[in-house]
Amino acid sequence: MKHCIWCSRKEPHVTFEKEAHTFPRSVGGKNICENVCDDCNHNFGSTKPNLPAVEIVLKEILNFSRYFLLYTKEVPRNQRFKSQYFSVNWDTKVLKLKPSYKLQKGFQEKLGRQFTRGMYKIYLEERERIKKDSHNSKFDFIREFARYDLGELQIFYLKPKYPFLGIFDGTLENPSIHFGKESEKEEKEFGIYSYQFMGHIFCIPVSKLFKELHFERYKKYLKENDNSFGTELIPIKYFSDVDFTFKFIFQ
C-alpha cells in the first residue's frame, strides 16, 4: 500500500495515479517517487496568489545551468530556454528579472524561498526512492517547510574554488542524487547533505539543529580538509546568490 511521504495519507484516502518526478521533467528528471500522492504532487506544481509554484521555480532557474552546460559556447537560438520570469543575455550570460516581476515587492525573496523548498522536495523524494526511509519523524521539519510552507529553512551554495566544473555522466539527461559513505558521514557528523547538480554543489541541512550545533563546525571542516569543490558556504536567499550561468567559467 502506498503511503505519501508528505501528508502521511494512504490509499484509498488519497490517489497515486500520476507519476511524481523527483526532479522536474523540464530539467531532464526521469526518476519517480511512488510514495507521493496526487494531492501533494499537484501542490508542488500549483501557483498560489502572488507566489510562483515550486516546480516552476526549479524549472526556471535550473534550466539556465542545464542549457549553458549543454551548449558551452553559445545556445542555438532555436534551443534557447524561454523563461516566464527572467530575461537573459546569452552572450554576456546575465540573468535579470523581467520588469513586471522586478517591481513586485519581495519577489526575489519569494523565488529564493520556493527554490529552497524545491531542493528540499528533491532531497526527500530521492531519499525515499533510494533508501525508503523518508517517513522517519526526524524529517518532519522538512515536510512542514517543503510541503506546507511553514518555518524558515535555508540551503547553501558551495562557492566554487576553481574555474572547473565536475559533471557526472548522465546527470544532464537524468539527474539523480546519491547516498554513499561520504554523504552518510557528513549527515551523521554535521547534519547536512551535499550533492552536485547541474554543475553546482548544494548543501542541504537535514538536521533541525544544524544552524545551532553544526554550522560553524561544518565550515571549519570544509576549510581544514581543503574541499576541492570549495570551502565557502553561501546561504541562498535570492536567485542571484548562485552563479547559475557559470560566469566564473566562461567570462
Side-chain angles (χ1 to χ4, degrees):
M1 180 180 295
K2 294 180 179 180
H3 184 188
C4 182
I5 64 170
W6 296 113
C7 66
S8 296
R9 292 180 293 176
K10 302 178 182 179
E11 297 174 311
H13 302 289
V14 288
T15 58
F16 294 81
E17 296 175 357
K18 295 185 177 180
E19 293 183 333
H21 289 79
T22 58
F23 286 83
R25 283 180 291 179
S26 54
V27 297
K30 297 180 178 66
N31 296 328
I32 304 297
C33 182
E34 295 184 351
N35 285 321
V36 175
C37 74
D38 293 337
D39 287 348
C40 292
N41 190 25
H42 176 74
N43 179 271
F44 286 115
S46 299
T47 301
K48 308 296 188 300
N50 299 316
L51 190 66
V54 168
E55 289 271 0
I56 293 176
V57 170
L58 288 173
K59 176 193 76 171
E60 286 278 305
I61 294 178
L62 292 174
N63 257 322
F64 288 113
S65 292
R66 185 167 185 257
Y67 276 67
F68 278 118
L69 289 171
L70 288 171
Y71 308 101
T72 55
K73 292 185 178 179
E74 182 181 354
V75 181
R77 188 171 296 276
N78 65 338
Q79 296 287 346
R80 294 178 179 179
F81 172 61
K82 296 177 175 62
S83 171
Q84 176 180 340
Y85 300 124
F86 300 95
S87 59
V88 57
N89 186 316
W90 294 99
D91 296 321
T92 61
K93 297 177 174 56
V94 173
L95 296 178
K96 292 183 179 180
L97 275 175
K98 292 180 178 179
S100 58
Y101 296 105
K102 189 175 182 179
L103 294 174
Q104 290 186 26
K105 185 178 179 180
F107 191 77
Q108 293 191 50
E109 290 92 334
K110 290 177 182 178
L111 283 177
R113 183 178 178 88
Q114 295 298 80
F115 180 75
T116 299
R117 291 179 64 199
M119 297 301 278
Y120 271 108
K121 168 198 175 293
I122 289 172
Y123 167 79
L124 202 63
E125 290 183 359
E126 277 282 275
R127 185 176 184 109
E128 175 65 15
R129 182 180 72 84
I130 297 168
K131 295 178 70 72
K132 308 296 184 185
D133 65 352
S134 293
H135 286 287
N136 193 307
S137 61
K138 70 180 181 180
F139 300 124
D140 285 349
F141 77 104
I142 294 179
R143 269 181 275 277
E144 292 173 0
F145 177 74
R147 171 61 175 87
Y148 298 102
D149 199 15
L150 300 174
E152 297 290 337
L153 296 184
Q154 204 165 43
I155 62 174
F156 301 88
Y157 169 60
L158 195 60
K159 185 177 180 178
K161 184 191 300 184
Y162 307 111
F164 168 79
L165 293 174
I167 308 297
F168 299 118
D169 291 342
T171 55
L172 295 181
E173 291 75 23
N174 181 24
S176 61
I177 61 179
H178 305 278
F179 295 89
K181 291 182 178 180
E182 186 61 31
S183 64
E184 290 178 359
K185 175 185 175 182
E186 286 193 348
E187 183 175 338
K188 183 177 181 180
E189 293 188 12
F190 304 104
I192 199 164
Y193 176 84
S194 60
Y195 69 94
Q196 190 267 13
F197 180 46
M198 297 296 174
H200 309 290
I201 303 292
F202 296 103
C203 300
I204 298 181
V206 295
S207 166
K208 193 173 183 179
L209 299 176
F210 171 76
K211 188 174 182 180
E212 293 83 357
L213 298 182
H214 307 300
F215 180 58
E216 294 299 329
R217 290 177 54 245
Y218 187 60
K219 288 199 302 181
K220 183 178 179 181
Y221 165 79
L222 290 174
K223 291 181 179 179
E224 288 181 346
N225 288 272
D226 195 24
N227 188 294
S228 57
F229 289 106
T231 58
E232 184 179 353
L233 288 174
I234 307 297
I236 299 176
K237 184 176 181 181
Y238 308 104
F239 77 90
S240 56
D241 289 326
V242 181
D243 183 7
F244 288 106
T245 59
F246 307 111
K247 286 184 289 185
F248 74 101
I249 291 283
F250 299 122
Q251 63 185 4

